[in-house]
Amino acid sequence: NTTQHTTRMASYRELLDGERSLACLLQALEGRVLVLELRGGGVVQGCLEAVDGAMNSQLRDVSFTPAKGAVAQRMDTMYILGRCIRYAMIPEDVNVHQAIVGRMEKTRQGANSYKRKFKKSSFD
């Protein structure tokens, strides 16, 4: 029984909330291969496809190793709830400050275009 998750457009509030958390760092790493340690002790390695403001993450080409050293499993995609992530191991070649600043700038541009698109007209 497979549940399919789709990436949707973030709301204006989600854009701003994501900026105020470390989710913006993970969003800046979309398209990169990451290792995530889960709260249950498992380890996931895969290419980060999408991250929302709550750090819910979608990965592709995934290798999942359950807790207690069980055999690793290969999967095409995996969706992880943000609350289940204990650690995200950031690649050494990433400048964390530049990644966060770049992502915040991109988020603000998106939020501004979102505001312009849905701005209520006044009847003054």
Side-chain angles (χ1 to χ4, degrees), residues 10-123:
S11 70
Y12 179 71
R13 181 181 180 105
E14 286 174 329
L15 287 171
L16 295 178
D17 286 347
E19 182 180 295
R20 294 185 199 111
S21 70
L22 285 179
C24 70
L25 175 57
L26 283 184
Q27 289 168 341
L29 299 174
E30 288 175 354
R32 304 277 312 248
V33 174
L34 286 189
V35 176
L36 302 175
E37 183 178 324
L38 306 179
R39 289 178 61 193
V43 176
V44 176
Q45 179 176 359
C47 183
L48 190 60
E49 283 196 325
V51 179
D52 67 14
M55 281 185 26
N56 298 322
S57 304
Q58 184 171 344
L59 294 98
R60 66 178 158 79
D61 301 326
V62 177
S63 173
F64 171 64
T65 306
K68 301 181 182 175
V71 177
Q73 301 170 2
R74 303 280 310 159
M75 297 175 216
D76 291 335
T77 61
M78 181 179 243
Y79 186 84
I80 303 169
L81 294 175
R83 68 175 182 256
C84 295
I85 298 173
R86 178 180 290 157
Y87 299 112
M89 294 162 205
I90 309 302
E92 289 184 21
D93 64 321
V94 172
N95 180 326
V96 174
H97 178 71
Q98 280 183 339
I100 290 172
V101 169
R103 181 58 193 190
M104 288 173 67
E105 187 175 298
K106 189 175 178 181
T107 299
R108 286 190 183 125
Q109 289 172 354
N112 287 338
S113 75
Y114 188 93
K115 270 172 71 173
R116 282 192 300 273
K117 184 175 180 181
F118 295 103
K119 188 175 182 180
K120 294 181 181 177
S121 59
S122 64
F123 298 100

